[in-house]
Amino acid sequence: MTDYPQMNQTLYEGRAPLVKEMTEKALAEGLNVQEVLEEGLIAGMSVVGEDFKHNRLYVPQVLIAARAMKAGMSILKPLLLEGGASSSSGTVILGTVKGDLHDIGKNLVGMMAEGAGFTVVDIGVDQSAEQFIAAVREHNAGILGMSALLTTTMPYMKVVIDALREEPLDHVKVCVGGAPISEMFAEEIGADGYGADASRAVELFQELYPIPV
Ligand code: B12
């Protein structure tokens, strides 16, 4: 029987092969994918976040825990993608802003959006306004999704939005997310939407996508 607190602890300790195994076992027991993601993986990562904040954990330990989280996510990914529409609901460019290397949340948003039938082009972390805009043009995307996890990098989202609005790309909808981002901040910087988590992100993409499916 899957024991979520034990799975959280294993993730906390950064034991990637064991987290992977526990994720597989949870699915084999017939547990719901979303539940395994939230109760087994995200809940463990939240404890890591809290302990990091209070200096009970340091960067190397957080990196090791993040690797364990990714190992579990690699098992869930195909299932999160299952049931996606056969034709694309549109193209979303996803990336983490300049100066910021956090990508776990962004990757989750990407997986869930692909699962909902979007074509996701993930341009990675530490992305400049020029790189975001080039990707939007190249892929003729309808949505640009930006992630930021640091209070020092979140203002860069406005730099990207301002640069985008100077281009003839007004039809592109901009969505923002990441732990320090709020609805109010999204409004302030002129974003079209804010998603607190991956499920909300997908709903947002569906609401905002300018091309009817
Ligand atoms: C893992 C982690 C790291 C890992 C990152 C590994 C990786 N590959 O991502 C490493 C060790 C590299 C790291 C480094 C640093 N980190 Co760090 N990190 C974290 C930690 C513990 C967890 C983040 C995470 O993955 N959460 C889990 C995911 C699932 O949640 P999420 O990212 O919020 O994403 C969800 C939503 O926000 C939303 N979402 C996310 N993106 C998007 C995008 C769109 C478009 C939408 C709609 C929605 C959306 O949906 C996601 C899924 O539900 C957080 C703590 C925290 N509570 O956030 C600190 C945290 C973000 N880090 C912090 C700090 C300070 C740092 C460092 C500066 C530490 C240092 N001294 O070097 C460096 C900075 C490196 C850099 N330049 O980016 C601070 C930031 C404080 C602040 N006020 O800015 C935090 C908050 C920790 C803390 N409490 O002090 N970190």
Side-chain angles (χ1 to χ4, degrees):
M1 262 277 283
T2 288
D3 178 345
Y4 286 130
Q6 196 193 341
M7 197 166 163
N8 298 161
Q9 179 62 26
T10 310
L11 187 146
Y12 183 96
E13 290 166 10
R15 299 162 77 187
L18 201 51
V19 169
K20 194 171 171 189
E21 210 176 279
M22 287 174 141
T23 308
E24 283 165 340
K25 188 169 152 272
L27 294 176
E29 283 169 9
L31 294 174
N32 174 277
V33 187
Q34 201 62 36
E35 183 189 295
V36 177
L37 174 65
E38 280 163 20
E39 308 280 318
L41 303 180
I42 295 181
M45 206 61 206
S46 306
V47 185
V48 172
E50 271 306 296
D51 281 2
F52 185 35
K53 185 171 159 187
H54 296 104
N55 298 321
R56 288 189 287 265
L57 284 184
Y58 298 98
V59 172
Q61 290 145 307
V62 178
L63 260 182
I64 294 168
R67 213 176 295 150
M69 168 104 187
K70 287 187 178 183
M73 273 163 57
S74 72
I75 301 301
L76 300 182
K77 184 172 180 179
L79 296 157
L80 290 170
L81 299 187
E82 240 173 45
S86 51
S87 67
S88 175
S89 312
T91 299
V92 179
I93 303 296
L94 263 190
T96 303
V97 298
K98 196 167 162 184
D100 200 322
L101 303 176
H102 296 83
D103 68 355
I104 296 176
K106 164 184 71 60
N107 295 348
L108 258 177
V109 169
M111 278 181 210
M112 302 276 278
E114 272 184 35
F118 285 92
T119 300
V120 174
V121 180
D122 186 337
I123 61 171
V125 297
D126 193 21
Q127 294 294 305
S128 67
E130 293 73 24
Q131 286 166 307
F132 276 113
I133 291 170
V136 167
R137 282 191 188 290
E138 184 186 345
H139 299 280
N140 193 21
I143 293 180
L144 168 58
M146 283 187 278
S147 186
L149 267 286
L150 299 172
T151 45
T152 49
T153 58
M154 58 191 261
Y156 193 77
M157 289 175 157
K158 181 165 175 1
V159 175
V160 179
I161 295 174
D162 290 348
L164 185 78
R165 299 305 179 215
E166 273 176 23
E167 304 275 325
L169 290 168
D170 270 350
H171 62 284
V172 178
K173 302 289 182 193
V174 180
C175 298
V176 292
I181 311 300
S182 64
E183 191 88 57
M184 201 204 277
F185 176 76
E187 257 175 49
E188 262 171 40
I189 60 170
D192 298 290
Y194 156 72
D197 56 37
S199 319
R200 179 62 198 134
V202 173
E203 282 171 12
L204 195 62
F205 297 163
Q206 284 163 337
E207 284 162 23
L208 290 175
Y209 202 76
I211 300 165
V213 288

